[in-house]
mmCIF file of all heavy atoms in Angstrom:
data_model
loop_
_atom_site.group_PDB
_atom_site.id
_atom_site.type_symbol
_atom_site.label_atom_id
_atom_site.label_comp_id
_atom_site.label_asym_id
_atom_site.label_seq_id
_atom_site.Cartn_x
_atom_site.Cartn_y
_atom_site.Cartn_z
ATOM 1 N N LYS A 289 60.621 129.491 75.554
ATOM 2 C CA LYS A 289 59.212 129.891 75.404
ATOM 3 C C LYS A 289 58.522 129.738 76.756
ATOM 4 O O LYS A 289 58.619 128.725 77.407
ATOM 5 C CB LYS A 289 58.491 129.045 74.350
ATOM 6 C CG LYS A 289 57.061 129.399 74.133
ATOM 7 C CD LYS A 289 56.357 128.443 73.183
ATOM 8 C CE LYS A 289 56.845 128.624 71.752
ATOM 9 N NZ LYS A 289 56.144 127.750 70.815
ATOM 10 N N ILE A 290 57.784 130.778 77.168
ATOM 11 C CA ILE A 290 56.973 130.724 78.396
ATOM 12 C C ILE A 290 55.585 130.150 77.920
ATOM 13 O O ILE A 290 54.882 130.811 77.177
ATOM 14 C CB ILE A 290 56.799 132.106 79.016
ATOM 15 C CG1 ILE A 290 58.180 132.717 79.296
ATOM 16 C CG2 ILE A 290 56.049 131.931 80.332
ATOM 17 C CD1 ILE A 290 58.040 134.168 79.743
ATOM 18 N N SER A 291 55.334 128.978 78.341
ATOM 19 C CA SER A 291 54.061 128.305 77.985
ATOM 20 C C SER A 291 53.254 127.949 79.235
ATOM 21 O O SER A 291 53.822 127.947 80.324
ATOM 22 C CB SER A 291 54.405 127.051 77.149
ATOM 23 O OG SER A 291 55.182 126.154 77.901
ATOM 24 N N ARG A 292 52.012 127.605 79.049
ATOM 25 C CA ARG A 292 51.189 127.219 80.183
ATOM 26 C C ARG A 292 51.662 125.951 80.849
ATOM 27 O O ARG A 292 51.667 125.851 82.080
ATOM 28 C CB ARG A 292 49.725 127.077 79.725
ATOM 29 C CG ARG A 292 49.069 128.392 79.387
ATOM 30 C CD ARG A 292 47.617 128.166 78.895
ATOM 31 N NE ARG A 292 46.955 129.466 78.774
ATOM 32 C CZ ARG A 292 47.082 130.300 77.735
ATOM 33 N NH1 ARG A 292 47.848 129.958 76.700
ATOM 34 N NH2 ARG A 292 46.419 131.457 77.677
ATOM 35 N N SER A 293 52.142 125.015 80.057
ATOM 36 C CA SER A 293 52.604 123.733 80.606
ATOM 37 C C SER A 293 53.976 123.851 81.246
ATOM 38 O O SER A 293 54.303 123.082 82.170
ATOM 39 C CB SER A 293 52.604 122.668 79.499
ATOM 40 O OG SER A 293 53.622 122.933 78.553
ATOM 41 N N GLY A 294 54.808 124.706 80.705
ATOM 42 C CA GLY A 294 56.164 124.814 81.194
ATOM 43 C C GLY A 294 57.122 123.757 80.610
ATOM 44 O O GLY A 294 58.286 123.713 80.976
ATOM 45 N N LEU A 295 56.614 122.925 79.673
ATOM 46 C CA LEU A 295 57.444 121.899 79.092
ATOM 47 C C LEU A 295 58.607 122.476 78.280
ATOM 48 O O LEU A 295 59.677 121.882 78.153
ATOM 49 C CB LEU A 295 56.632 121.015 78.195
ATOM 50 C CG LEU A 295 55.590 120.084 78.872
ATOM 51 C CD1 LEU A 295 54.788 119.298 77.841
ATOM 52 C CD2 LEU A 295 56.298 119.124 79.808
ATOM 53 N N HIS A 296 58.426 123.697 77.794
ATOM 54 C CA HIS A 296 59.480 124.288 76.971
ATOM 55 C C HIS A 296 60.734 124.627 77.855
ATOM 56 O O HIS A 296 61.839 124.579 77.350
ATOM 57 C CB HIS A 296 58.975 125.579 76.296
ATOM 58 C CG HIS A 296 57.952 125.311 75.238
ATOM 59 N ND1 HIS A 296 56.619 125.177 75.513
ATOM 60 C CD2 HIS A 296 58.088 125.112 73.898
ATOM 61 C CE1 HIS A 296 55.958 124.940 74.412
ATOM 62 N NE2 HIS A 296 56.798 124.872 73.409
ATOM 63 N N LEU A 297 60.524 124.913 79.133
ATOM 64 C CA LEU A 297 61.624 125.194 80.014
ATOM 65 C C LEU A 297 62.425 123.883 80.247
ATOM 66 O O LEU A 297 63.678 123.873 80.182
ATOM 67 C CB LEU A 297 61.139 125.720 81.353
ATOM 68 C CG LEU A 297 62.213 125.982 82.388
ATOM 69 C CD1 LEU A 297 63.266 126.935 81.915
ATOM 70 C CD2 LEU A 297 61.569 126.470 83.698
ATOM 71 N N MET A 298 61.721 122.790 80.421
ATOM 72 C CA MET A 298 62.377 121.504 80.561
ATOM 73 C C MET A 298 63.149 121.126 79.282
ATOM 74 O O MET A 298 64.318 120.627 79.345
ATOM 75 C CB MET A 298 61.371 120.415 80.882
ATOM 76 C CG MET A 298 60.635 120.622 82.161
ATOM 77 S SD MET A 298 59.264 119.425 82.412
ATOM 78 C CE MET A 298 60.143 117.889 82.342
ATOM 79 N N ARG A 299 62.551 121.387 78.113
ATOM 80 C CA ARG A 299 63.161 121.089 76.866
ATOM 81 C C ARG A 299 64.479 121.917 76.695
ATOM 82 O O ARG A 299 65.450 121.476 76.214
ATOM 83 C CB ARG A 299 62.224 121.334 75.727
ATOM 84 C CG ARG A 299 62.734 121.013 74.314
ATOM 85 C CD ARG A 299 61.702 121.313 73.257
ATOM 86 N NE ARG A 299 60.444 120.575 73.544
ATOM 87 C CZ ARG A 299 59.295 120.895 72.941
ATOM 88 N NH1 ARG A 299 59.205 121.916 72.118
ATOM 89 N NH2 ARG A 299 58.207 120.216 73.185
ATOM 90 N N GLU A 300 64.377 123.227 77.052
ATOM 91 C CA GLU A 300 65.534 124.103 76.910
ATOM 92 C C GLU A 300 66.712 123.648 77.794
ATOM 93 O O GLU A 300 67.856 123.656 77.370
ATOM 94 C CB GLU A 300 65.142 125.534 77.251
ATOM 95 C CG GLU A 300 66.230 126.558 77.016
ATOM 96 C CD GLU A 300 66.687 126.586 75.555
ATOM 97 O OE1 GLU A 300 65.811 126.417 74.646
ATOM 98 O OE2 GLU A 300 67.925 126.795 75.287
ATOM 99 N N ARG A 301 66.362 123.188 79.016
ATOM 100 C CA ARG A 301 67.384 122.657 79.901
ATOM 101 C C ARG A 301 68.079 121.434 79.278
ATOM 102 O O ARG A 301 69.340 121.297 79.344
ATOM 103 C CB ARG A 301 66.846 122.349 81.245
ATOM 104 C CG ARG A 301 66.608 123.570 82.145
ATOM 105 C CD ARG A 301 66.642 123.121 83.586
ATOM 106 N NE ARG A 301 66.838 124.299 84.458
ATOM 107 C CZ ARG A 301 65.865 124.970 84.979
ATOM 108 N NH1 ARG A 301 64.595 124.640 84.765
ATOM 109 N NH2 ARG A 301 66.138 126.048 85.735
ATOM 110 N N TRP A 302 67.311 120.593 78.689
ATOM 111 C CA TRP A 302 67.850 119.394 78.068
ATOM 112 C C TRP A 302 68.726 119.797 76.849
ATOM 113 O O TRP A 302 69.852 119.268 76.696
ATOM 114 C CB TRP A 302 66.707 118.461 77.592
ATOM 115 C CG TRP A 302 67.125 117.303 76.786
ATOM 116 C CD1 TRP A 302 66.818 117.057 75.472
ATOM 117 C CD2 TRP A 302 67.961 116.185 77.172
ATOM 118 N NE1 TRP A 302 67.388 115.884 75.030
ATOM 119 C CE2 TRP A 302 68.101 115.339 76.093
ATOM 120 C CE3 TRP A 302 68.589 115.894 78.383
ATOM 121 C CZ2 TRP A 302 68.836 114.231 76.082
ATOM 122 C CZ3 TRP A 302 69.348 114.706 78.422
ATOM 123 C CH2 TRP A 302 69.461 113.877 77.290
ATOM 124 N N ASN A 303 68.234 120.673 76.047
ATOM 125 C CA ASN A 303 69.017 121.139 74.895
ATOM 126 C C ASN A 303 70.351 121.778 75.296
ATOM 127 O O ASN A 303 71.381 121.607 74.675
ATOM 128 C CB ASN A 303 68.200 122.094 74.015
ATOM 129 C CG ASN A 303 67.083 121.439 73.307
ATOM 130 O OD1 ASN A 303 67.161 120.238 73.006
ATOM 131 N ND2 ASN A 303 66.066 122.183 72.922
ATOM 132 N N MET A 304 70.310 122.555 76.371
ATOM 133 C CA MET A 304 71.534 123.199 76.883
ATOM 134 C C MET A 304 72.522 122.187 77.359
ATOM 135 O O MET A 304 73.778 122.339 77.154
ATOM 136 C CB MET A 304 71.195 124.221 77.958
ATOM 137 C CG MET A 304 70.463 125.451 77.464
ATOM 138 S SD MET A 304 70.153 126.710 78.753
ATOM 139 C CE MET A 304 71.806 127.406 78.885
#
Side-chain angles (χ1 to χ4, degrees):
K289 182 185 291 185
I290 307 172
S291 58
R292 287 179 173 81
S293 68
L295 291 177
H296 292 86
L297 178 58
M298 297 172 59
R299 183 182 302 164
E300 185 60 35
R301 282 205 163 94
W302 172 245
N303 289 335
M304 290 184 75

